């Protein structure tokens, strides 16, 4: 038996049906993602029932393709890892049931993975972690600063009090009449626009590492409303650039302050909004002269995928975590509790 560790992972928490095989926690052997974005576009957002149905239709094919690409058999895997939450319950269930069936039929250990732990561990595929580590998690459903003292332990030191960063992007994009998902559309526009509007920055109380984006979202909507009433022409590129400047300012400054305060050795960027050009540039600039290493995942590892679930699953497997055969989808799985769960 080979000493190498192979993990087959499944991710179906939202609108991507994904599977991947990772060798020794860091080497991607196969990575397959079937996106449903086109099906949800005409509704302006993810429709849970449609997402579940697509996952059911795609999962077998995605798994077969992953194994074929790797030229491996399920029996060669050390464990099957699967996103158990958070996410859409019907969508999660498809992945959880597929993972259970595969693991049980082949009598291989099953490992449950928290979706956000996966986003954080996407960074370990490129570079080994150095602790203490701080992760800035920015996705469609989450905006958090997560402190890690060691593998598998997560402490949330700041989080959004209202909208997640990605959610704010998607909502503002919708008011600007841009297609779903709005984040990449605003990012593109922001590159060609200028920061002509001084939108608010929600710094909150001194010393707080929490975030708030709902005030900014309202400010953008008010700005649009007022300029329409005055009969002014709307410049979407400048609005996008001004909105993005506010989001990126707050995310970058708070991450930097928290990194200093907690004396971390490494900062990692995680989640769908990690694909944002403006955020990637500003963080790189800000940390360039700090004595802290900064990791930003390549674009293919920012949006939902299963390689990141395998990366987190690999560590969980090594640490002895095993899911029981009655593993269930948990749409509101808590990250800190997940990190401190018994083996
Ligand atoms: O992590 P993710 O794929 O799904 C969740 O786990 O939520 O994140 C999706 C979010 C969406 O809100 C999308 O608009 C946003 O990430 N996003 C971006 C960019 N690319 C994706 N937001 C800003 N700029 C981008 N380039
Ligand atoms: Zn995600």
């Amino acid at each position: 038996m080979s000493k190498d560790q192979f993990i087959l992972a499944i991710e179906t928490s939202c609108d991507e049906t994904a599977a991947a095989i990772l060798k020794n926690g860091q080497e991607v052997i196969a990575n397959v993602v079937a996106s449903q974005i086109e099906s949800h576009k005409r509704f302006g957002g993810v429709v849970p029932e449609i997402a579940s149905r697509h996952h059911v239709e795609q999962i077998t094919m995605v798994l077969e393709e992953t194994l074929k690409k790797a030229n491996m058999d399920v029996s060669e895997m050390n464990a099957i890892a699967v996103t158990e939450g958070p996410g859409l319950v019907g969508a999660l269930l498809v992945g959880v049931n597929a993972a259970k069936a595969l693991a049980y039929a082949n009598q291989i250990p099953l490992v449950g993975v928290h979706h956000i732990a996966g986003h954080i561990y996407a960074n370990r595929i490129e570079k080994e972690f150095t602790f203490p580590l701080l992760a800035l998690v920015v996705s469609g459903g989450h905006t958090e600063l997560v402190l890690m003292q060691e593998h598998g332990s997560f402490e949330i030191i700041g989080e959004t009090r209202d909208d997640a960063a990605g959610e704010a992007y998607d909502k503002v994009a919708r008011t600007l009449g841009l297609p779903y998902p709005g984040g990449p559309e605003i990012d593109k526009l922001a590159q060609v626009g200028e920061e002509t509007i001084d939108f608010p920055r929600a710094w909150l109380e001194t010393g707080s590492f929490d975030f708030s984006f709902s005030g900014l979202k309202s400010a953008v909507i008010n700005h649009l409303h007022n300029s329409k009433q005055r009969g002014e022409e709307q410049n979407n590129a400048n609005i996008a650039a001004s909105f993005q400047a506010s989001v990126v300012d707050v995310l970058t400054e708070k991450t930097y302050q928290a990194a200093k305060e907690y004396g971390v050795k490494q900062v990692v960027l995680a989640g769908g909004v990690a694909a944002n050009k403006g955020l990637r540039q500003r963080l790189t600039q800000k940390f360039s002269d700090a004595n802290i290493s900064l990791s930003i995942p390549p674009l293919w590892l920012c949006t939902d995928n299963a390689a990141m679930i395998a990366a987190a699953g690999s560590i969980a497997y090594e640490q002895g975590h095993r899911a029981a055969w009655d593993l269930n989808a948990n749409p509101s799985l808590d990250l800190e509790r997940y990190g401190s769960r018994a083996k």
Side-chain angles (χ1 to χ4, degrees):
M1 182 88 178
S2 140
K3 283 219 178 59
D4 289 323
Q5 181 215 63
F6 291 97
I7 304 283
L8 169 63
I10 301 173
E11 152 66 40
T12 62
S13 68
C14 191
D15 58 351
E16 331 274 358
T17 316
I21 294 174
L22 208 61
K23 182 179 170 183
N24 300 328
Q26 291 182 294
E27 191 186 329
V28 181
I29 304 295
N31 183 51
V32 176
V33 182
S35 174
Q36 313 174 355
I37 284 181
E38 285 310 314
S39 305
H40 299 288
K41 225 173 198 159
R42 64 200 153 109
F43 301 105
V46 178
V47 183
E49 287 80 2
I50 294 178
S52 312
R53 192 157 358 117
H54 274 299
H55 286 309
V56 172
E57 285 165 7
Q58 299 284 331
I59 189 72
T60 310
M61 222 158 55
V62 166
L63 279 163
E64 279 171 2
E65 199 182 325
T66 305
L67 288 161
K68 195 168 143 207
K69 274 194 172 162
N71 196 21
M72 293 184 87
D73 189 77
V74 184
S75 59
E76 294 174 81
M77 300 298 132
N78 293 79
I80 311 285
V82 63
T83 308
E84 58 176 301
L88 303 167
V89 67
L92 286 165
L93 271 172
V94 178
V96 167
N97 284 321
K100 281 204 276 195
L102 274 183
Y104 188 76
N106 291 276
Q107 286 300 301
I108 297 170
L110 178 68
V111 177
V113 174
H114 191 289
H115 183 76
I116 296 303
H119 273 301
I120 295 172
Y121 270 91
N123 286 281
R124 190 173 174 258
I125 291 175
E126 299 239 304
K127 191 158 120 197
E128 184 54 85
F129 282 180
T130 330
F131 300 105
L133 176 149
L134 180 70
L136 170 63
V137 178
V138 274
S139 74
H142 296 256
T143 300
E144 282 151 11
L145 278 168
V146 180
L147 182 67
M148 292 179 69
Q149 298 290 358
E150 57 183 355
H151 278 304
S153 111
F154 309 93
E155 183 193 346
I156 297 173
I157 59 163
E159 63 193 325
T160 184
R161 295 184 184 171
D162 37 62
D163 292 350
E167 197 181 347
Y169 265 95
D170 294 339
K171 285 178 179 168
V172 165
R174 201 184 304 188
T175 47
L176 292 178
L178 302 170
Y180 175 86
E185 300 289 330
I186 293 202
D187 194 13
K188 252 185 269 165
L189 273 177
Q191 304 306 313
V192 295
E194 274 176 50
E195 193 194 340
T196 51
I197 313 144
D198 190 18
F199 286 133
R201 270 88 172 137
W203 298 113
L204 307 176
E205 319 83 69
T206 316
S208 168
F209 295 123
D210 279 351
F211 302 95
S212 166
F213 294 106
S214 70
L216 170 63
K217 181 190 65 191
S218 305
V220 177
I221 295 170
N222 286 341
H223 172 85
L224 282 170
H225 187 74
N226 293 341
S227 58
K228 206 176 266 173
Q229 273 191 337
R230 286 197 295 264
E232 291 166 4
E233 206 179 315
Q234 170 181 327
N235 184 326
N236 274 359
N238 288 353
I239 296 171
S242 307
F243 164 77
Q244 179 146 306
S246 168
V247 175
V248 168
D249 243 14
V250 176
L251 289 177
T252 306
E253 286 306 318
K254 291 217 174 206
T255 304
Y256 186 77
Q257 292 307 327
K260 289 275 174 200
E261 187 169 320
Y262 287 89
V264 303
K265 295 210 171 88
Q266 188 179 359
V267 167
V268 307
L269 181 59
V273 184
N276 188 271
K277 271 212 183 81
L279 181 60
R280 296 166 80 93
Q281 276 163 7
R282 270 294 294 284
L283 279 173
T284 308
Q285 226 172 35
K286 187 82 190 174
F287 281 90
S288 63
D289 54 357
N291 213 359
I292 301 167
S293 110
L294 171 72
S295 296
I296 296 183
L299 292 179
W300 67 273
L301 275 171
C302 290
T303 37
D304 290 347
N305 64 83
M308 68 185 199
I309 302 304
S314 160
I315 291 289
Y317 173 72
E318 250 176 44
Q319 291 184 328
H321 291 290
R322 303 287 182 267
W325 295 124
D326 64 355
L327 175 72
N328 203 355
N330 184 348
S332 52
L333 186 64
D334 182 273
L335 182 61
E336 290 182 343
R337 220 173 302 149
Y338 160 82
S340 61
R341 74 206 190 286
K343 291 186 181 75

